[in-house]
Amino acid sequence: QVQLVESGGGLVQAGGSLRLSCAASGRTFSTYAMGWFRQAPGKERAFVAAINWSGGSTYYADSVKGRFTISRDNGQKMVYLQMNSLKPEDTAIYYCARSLLNYYVAPADFRSWGQGTQVTVSS
């Protein structure tokens, strides 16, 4: 059973940056693809970014491409989301998630979730 704990959220002005972190437990962390999702008020949870087991491939939603960067440190069992040029529409609860697979295929493959961290971007 994996546990995922997010941190790094907060309040930031538009154009600013934040770095989210996700600490994972379990011996098989490096086996699985990891991802970030977000849920804005009144909306469904949406895919943001994913990274395969080795960190060699990354994937992004069109809305964050060029602004956000996902990375991982398998030795430390950590996943990161660097968010630059933040916009008010990026305001959401951000969730770290683990896939059933070692490479990214689809958002539906993510089945283990953290508790989320709030990101608020003011205009």
Side-chain angles (χ1 to χ4, degrees):
Q1 187 76 9
V2 65
Q3 287 190 323
L4 303 171
V5 179
E6 303 94 335
S7 61
L11 173 64
V12 63
Q13 288 188 332
S17 298
L18 281 176
R19 188 195 195 204
L20 304 184
S21 299
C22 173
S25 65
R27 292 182 294 177
T28 58
F29 173 78
S30 62
T31 303
Y32 299 100
M34 298 294 294
W36 287 95
F37 292 71
R38 67 186 181 186
Q39 187 167 18
K43 295 187 177 181
E44 294 187 353
R45 189 156 53 188
F47 171 76
V48 175
I51 187 167
N52 74 353
W53 66 277
S54 68
S57 296
T58 56
Y59 310 85
Y60 298 94
D62 288 343
S63 58
V64 307
K65 205 170 291 184
R67 300 188 297 122
F68 290 11
T69 302
I70 187 172
S71 60
R72 68 188 295 163
D73 182 336
N74 285 342
Q76 297 296 319
K77 299 182 183 178
M78 296 291 294
V79 182
Y80 304 100
L81 186 67
Q82 178 66 44
M83 306 186 294
N84 298 328
S85 302
L86 282 161
K87 305 175 181 179
E89 51 264 44
D90 294 319
T91 295
I93 300 174
Y94 283 71
Y95 297 91
C96 176
R98 192 190 77 174
S99 174
L100 294 172
L101 307 175
N102 58 10
Y103 50 91
Y104 173 70
V105 175
D109 295 328
F110 291 83
R111 304 294 179 84
S112 299
W113 302 88
Q115 83 289 349
T117 185
Q118 176 71 47
V119 171
T120 303
V121 185
S122 63
S123 57

